[in-house]
Amino acid sequence: MASAHDRAVLQAIFNPTSPFGDIHGQNQEEELIDDDSGFDTELLRQAKELEVRGVSAAEAGDLQAALQLFSQAIQILPQRASAYNNRAQALRLQGDTAGALGDLDRAVSLSGSAGRTACQALVQRGLLRRLACRGEEARADFEEAAALGSEFARQQAVALNPYAALCNTMLSEVINKLRNPEASEML
């Protein structure tokens, strides 16, 4: 059985543009959970039900209804991050980037930068910041989400890090020379 280090080396050989140690398919984001234990169980049930209905409304294209449902969930449990994250997505779909960023900031803050909602909010905020040409802030969000286990965020952080990109390019060249030593002698 191969060790974690062996799998990381093999990943670097077969996918040299990924950061070292990033093993495809090992996305911890799916395993993350939010700690809702501090909330009243009945209020939590109501808020979650509203969020599920809000997501369904958004998927059906009724963003106004989705926004109302997410806002109701926030009114019930204003200290719970999930509804802010969901409302941010509906706001983004409506073109309200500033409103979406505000809700994502709140979701990250309330989550304590831990758990599934924090990871999702950081990725979404990173994408919005990247689109707004705020690369350093986007990279910081992606790095934080990557630390929580998001493979996508890890890839985005590398893409925004010029030093990592240079290292990956050099590693790719070394691996190509190892794979085909005759071709490198001709250069």
Side-chain angles (χ1 to χ4, degrees):
M1 173 133 288
S3 71
H5 186 287
D6 293 340
R7 287 190 299 274
V9 169
L10 289 172
Q11 175 65 15
I13 291 170
F14 293 114
N15 191 1
T17 59
S18 69
F20 186 77
D22 186 16
I23 302 170
H24 183 71
Q26 285 192 333
N27 187 353
Q28 296 172 352
E29 181 181 347
E30 297 300 321
E31 300 169 11
L32 289 174
I33 58 169
D34 291 326
D35 181 11
D36 288 334
S37 63
F39 299 113
D40 176 270
T41 55
E42 179 56 26
L43 293 178
L44 181 61
R45 184 195 63 72
Q46 290 174 20
K48 283 183 174 183
E49 181 181 310
L50 287 166
E51 284 186 72
V52 168
R53 289 176 44 209
V55 168
S56 294
E59 288 173 346
D62 191 352
L63 295 178
Q64 278 306 114
L67 286 169
Q68 289 173 346
L69 291 162
F70 295 139
S71 294
Q72 288 174 11
I74 289 169
Q75 287 176 348
I76 290 172
L77 284 177
Q79 296 304 311
R80 186 166 179 266
S82 180
Y84 290 96
N85 184 57
N86 286 322
R87 188 172 70 178
Q89 304 323 306
L91 289 168
R92 181 188 55 81
L93 289 170
Q94 277 196 324
D96 183 359
T97 304
L101 283 169
D103 273 0
L104 292 169
D105 289 343
R106 186 77 173 137
V108 170
S109 174
L110 287 172
S111 68
S113 296
R116 183 182 176 115
T117 298
C119 189
Q120 291 172 344
L122 286 162
V123 168
Q124 294 301 324
R125 190 172 72 179
L127 288 170
L128 289 175
R129 286 176 167 175
R130 187 171 186 186
L131 288 173
C133 299
R134 294 165 52 188
E136 285 303 309
E137 292 172 290
R139 185 168 57 86
D141 282 342
F142 289 136
E143 287 174 354
E144 196 171 343
L148 291 172
S150 172
E151 186 175 320
F152 174 80
R154 208 172 289 121
Q155 293 167 354
Q156 294 300 306
V158 169
L160 290 172
N161 185 335
Y163 298 112
L166 179 61
C167 289
N168 282 337
T169 300
M170 292 178 355
L171 178 61
S172 179
E173 289 173 10
V174 168
I175 289 170
N176 285 334
K177 287 178 184 179
L178 290 172
R179 284 182 183 160
N180 193 0
E182 296 84 25
S184 62
E185 289 175 9
M186 292 181 209
L187 298 175

